[in-house]
Amino acid sequence: MRPVNRGEEVLLLLKGADGFISGEKIASVLNISRTAVWKQISRLRKEGFQIEAHPRMGYSLVLSPDRLLPSEIRDGIKTSLIGSEIFYYEKIESTNAIAKNLAMNGAKEGTLVIAEEQTRGRGRLDRDWLSPANSNILMSLIFRPNLQAAKAFSMIMLTSVAIVKAIQVTTSLVAQIKWPNDIYLYNKKLGGILTEFNAEQDRVNFVVIGVGLNVNFDPCLYPEIKDTATSLKKVMGKEVKRAVLLRSILEEIERGYSDFSKGRISQIRSEWDHYSLVTGKHIRIHSLDNVEEGIAESIDDDGCLILRDINGNTKRILSGDVSLRVSE
Ligand code: ATP
């Protein structure tokens, strides 16, 4: 993907330089004045890039900030649709709220919203999603699939498969998917996915998929989740480069979405089964006024869970407002 502004173009030249690159060289490659180069360098420094300046040798990039800045995300990314527009925020209410707003106002498919911190991060059923600033991945993507509203939840399937594949590619860890919307690692919650959509006459206008993924934070920061949550850093004992993982997630989502759009759902479904934490297990499904028990057989193309009860009868469970517990 090409850089989209002058700051990113300057950054790319700094990153490609073996040590120092002169202001004159940057100015001539980008066809801008030396003053314009200096302005971009100051801007990058304000964003947290450490850039050394030397009167004769020019500029050298010493350190990039640990921020999911658009320039860091785009650096070497192999997607054409997903992340083609990026909206980055230090602190916002929630990435899904912003993404829905952008989608309502015509934002194009593939638009990515990233936040370092959310003041009102949400899971399903209006539950809190907790994350300290600058530590994890908090993002939302806008899709405009040609889809019936009833099938919008099937997009959780492709997103969860993409996330576990990206985690495996970047860290070699094999995470699992807990139906309907959670990512687990060694039986603790590593991430959650929140799908929201807008439809008219049963056709989807847009789908917003939000992801909260625990990368570098210590779950002990929050007493309410310290025993049930985990993070990649906690398991690996070292920090994970968030931008590298995020790029991989976006690339896997683009691949999955392309399969999905071509109707290759069975492939996504078999990958889902491969990573599923619940398939073949005895489970309980809790809804507001009911509990159902049985063996989780699989999921169908719409993202519904197929539950086989003790009498051998199967039933489709909609992901809507239910919680799943794996029996001991
Ligand atoms: P379940 O299906 O297990 O009933 P859920 O999938 O509906 O749960 P979500 O709504 O997706 O849960 O996520 C919100 C819940 O996740 C919160 O109530 C809290 O318990 C837990 N949680 C919040 N922040 C985090 C986090 N960063 N990591 C892990 N778990 C978290």
Side-chain angles (χ1 to χ4, degrees):
M1 194 177 282
R2 287 184 51 71
V4 294
N5 61 41
R6 282 272 178 255
E8 286 187 31
E9 286 178 327
V10 171
L11 190 59
L12 218 60
L13 289 175
L14 290 171
K15 282 186 173 170
D18 187 13
F20 280 89
I21 177 168
S22 70
E24 203 178 341
K25 174 101 188 267
I26 298 175
S28 87
V29 172
L30 300 181
N31 201 16
I32 56 176
S33 69
R34 297 277 297 274
T35 323
V37 172
W38 172 245
K39 268 193 196 148
Q40 294 305 333
I41 297 280
S42 313
R43 228 186 81 186
L44 289 168
R45 280 179 171 154
K46 276 193 198 124
E47 285 182 358
F49 292 92
Q50 273 184 41
I51 299 167
E52 205 180 314
H54 188 277
R56 268 175 297 111
M57 294 193 287
Y59 304 104
S60 167
L61 179 64
V62 181
L63 197 72
S64 297
D66 182 25
R67 291 284 186 278
L68 291 173
L69 292 163
S71 54
E72 292 294 293
I73 299 169
R74 286 200 187 97
D75 187 9
I77 196 167
K78 296 184 207 75
T79 61
S80 52
L81 176 72
I82 305 298
S84 49
E85 289 271 358
I86 303 178
F87 290 80
Y88 170 86
Y89 301 88
E90 281 284 337
K91 193 173 183 171
I92 48 164
E93 181 187 317
S94 88
T95 57
N96 261 35
I98 296 281
K100 278 190 288 182
N101 207 3
L102 286 167
M104 287 294 215
N105 289 298
K108 61 178 190 175
E109 175 159 80
T111 298
L112 169 68
V113 179
I114 282 283
E116 297 289 0
E117 189 179 0
Q118 296 182 130
T119 54
R120 201 171 177 274
R122 283 285 169 267
R124 291 189 313 147
L125 313 174
D126 217 29
R127 294 176 186 141
D128 287 336
W129 187 260
L130 308 167
S131 173
N134 312 320
S135 312
N136 297 323
I137 291 179
L138 304 168
M139 65 174 235
S140 296
L141 280 167
I142 297 171
F143 294 88
R144 296 189 181 276
N146 181 11
L147 206 64
Q148 277 179 318
K151 294 189 186 287
F153 285 106
S154 57
M155 292 196 63
I156 299 181
M157 189 161 56
L158 87 87
T159 310
S160 33
V161 168
I163 291 172
V164 287
K165 281 167 88 177
I167 291 172
Q168 196 167 1
V169 168
T170 339
T171 66
S172 299
L173 292 170
V174 183
Q176 289 183 296
I177 304 166
K178 178 175 167 261
W179 186 88
N181 69 321
D182 292 329
I183 307 293
Y184 269 64
L185 187 59
Y186 301 134
N187 290 316
K188 294 201 171 183
K189 189 144 141 184
L190 183 71
I193 299 164
L194 181 65
T195 314
E196 297 181 88
F197 65 92
N198 174 290
E200 239 168 85
Q201 286 168 0
D202 200 37
R203 292 314 281 184
V204 162
N205 282 331
F206 63 79
V207 179
V208 164
I209 298 204
V211 175
L213 189 65
N214 301 334
V215 186
N216 289 327
F217 95 126
D218 178 359
C220 291
L221 280 176
Y222 300 103
E224 56 271 57
I225 56 166
K226 74 175 179 27
D227 297 325
T228 52
T230 190
S231 74
L232 293 175
K233 181 181 171 187
K234 188 169 177 193
V235 171
M236 296 176 74
K238 61 174 189 190
E239 299 228 330
V240 172
K241 271 274 194 194
R242 289 185 300 155
V244 175
L245 176 60
L246 176 56
R247 274 198 292 274
S248 181
I249 291 174
L250 300 178
E251 286 165 6
E252 294 294 347
I253 289 180
E254 180 151 306
R255 220 165 286 150
Y257 187 53
S258 159
D259 285 342
F260 182 82
S261 307
K262 289 176 191 142
R264 295 185 197 139
I265 313 280
S266 59
Q267 186 179 327
I268 301 173
R269 223 156 42 103
S270 71
E271 287 179 315
W272 190 95
D273 261 331
H274 175 72
Y275 289 109
S276 167
L277 177 83
V278 301
T279 308
K281 297 237 172 87
H282 190 266
I283 56 161
R284 280 196 188 87
I285 301 280
H286 297 254
S287 53
L288 267 182
D289 48 9
N290 194 16
V291 180
E292 294 185 79
E293 271 188 65
I295 303 289
E297 289 242 301
S298 182
I299 51 168
D300 67 13
D301 286 359
D302 301 342
C304 294
L305 186 82
I306 311 296
L307 183 76
R308 183 174 293 276
D309 67 19
I310 42 167
N311 301 318
N313 301 320
T314 55
K315 186 172 179 188
R316 283 174 88 230
I317 313 281
L318 284 165
S319 66
D321 288 353
V322 298
S323 281
L324 181 154
R325 296 282 171 267
V326 177
S327 307
E328 294 303 323

